Amino acid sequence: MSELVFFSGTMDCGKSTLALQIGHNRSARGLQGIIFTRDDRAGEGKLSSRLGLVTDAVEAAPGLDLYGYLVERMSQGERVDYVIVDEAQFLAPEQIDQLARVVDDLDMDVFAFGITTDFRTKLFPGSQRLIELADRIETLQVEAMCWCGARATHNARTVGGAMVVEGEQVVVGDVDRPTEEVGYEVLCRRHHRRRMTSASSRAAALSPDVLPAGNA
């Protein structure tokens, strides 16, 4: 029976790598799929992994009817056996509803990959709708690590190496951007609460007068 499966995790835990692997495994069995993505780090219409793997994809732009797009491709004689969606957190809730319809009406597996919360620890609308609708939610077992060595559970946005908690929900960046640019870092809850990134921890280590924050 076809399923809508949501693979979730923090940044840097291998979501895109797994998406590419699932596509490879099904392709090796002779199945044909469509890959959707949104705002990938490699640019429009690409699905990329931090390991250096990249493949072409369909950009799931705002307003694109994913169900209608698939029906049109199939009506033109194209075979579609499954769907992969990367960066699913960026999709609109109605696009998640369309993916559920793909499963129910077209009897097709949909594998969605994304992070659940933004840099403010608030749910992305697309991820929230996936949690509400998915037949199955899988937490990726490859654990991203905070700079302290603990399991990373939160995504932090940084500017100049300092964590910020205000701004637009979606700003494209990555975990390996130069510190002077807008970037992202995965942190454990403790250091996310304290707004202590790897850069600020190094600065604190150089100061002999640092004391713990009173509200930590």
Side-chain angles (χ1 to χ4, degrees), residues 46-62:
K46 297 292 182 182
L47 167 56
S48 66
S49 163
R50 291 189 181 89
L51 297 182
L53 304 172
V54 62
T55 191
D56 291 329
V58 177
E59 187 74 12

Side-chain angles (χ1 to χ4, degrees), residues 69-103:
Y69 179 89
L70 290 168
V71 168
E72 182 178 356
R73 295 277 293 261
M74 295 170 69
S75 67
Q76 294 173 356
E78 185 170 346
R79 176 182 168 185
V80 183
D81 299 306
Y82 63 92
V83 175
I84 290 173
V85 185
D86 198 29
E87 308 293 359
Q89 73 274 4
F90 295 145
L91 299 187
E94 56 266 25
Q95 290 177 309
I96 303 302
D97 289 340
Q98 293 158 12
L99 293 176
R101 187 181 177 192
V102 168
V103 175

Side-chain angles (χ1 to χ4, degrees), residues 4 28 35 39 51 59 67 81 91 105-107 127 145 150 154 163 165 167 184 211 213:
L4 172 58
I35 299 175
D39 292 337
L51 297 182
E59 187 74 12
Y67 177 86
D81 299 306
L91 299 187
D105 294 358
L106 303 182
D107 194 23
S127 297
M145 296 180 66
H154 291 66
M163 180 174 158
V165 294
Y184 290 90
L211 294 176

Side-chain angles (χ1 to χ4, degrees), residues 13 32 35 49 51 57 71 78 80 102 113 117 122 124 148-149 156-158 160 162 164 186 188 192 194:
C13 73
Q32 298 180 27
I35 299 175
S49 163
L51 297 182
V71 168
E78 185 170 346
V80 183
V102 168
F113 297 80
T117 58
K122 303 298 184 181
F124 282 100
C148 69
R157 181 181 294 169
T158 61
V164 296
V186 288
C188 64
H192 192 278
R194 294 178 178 177

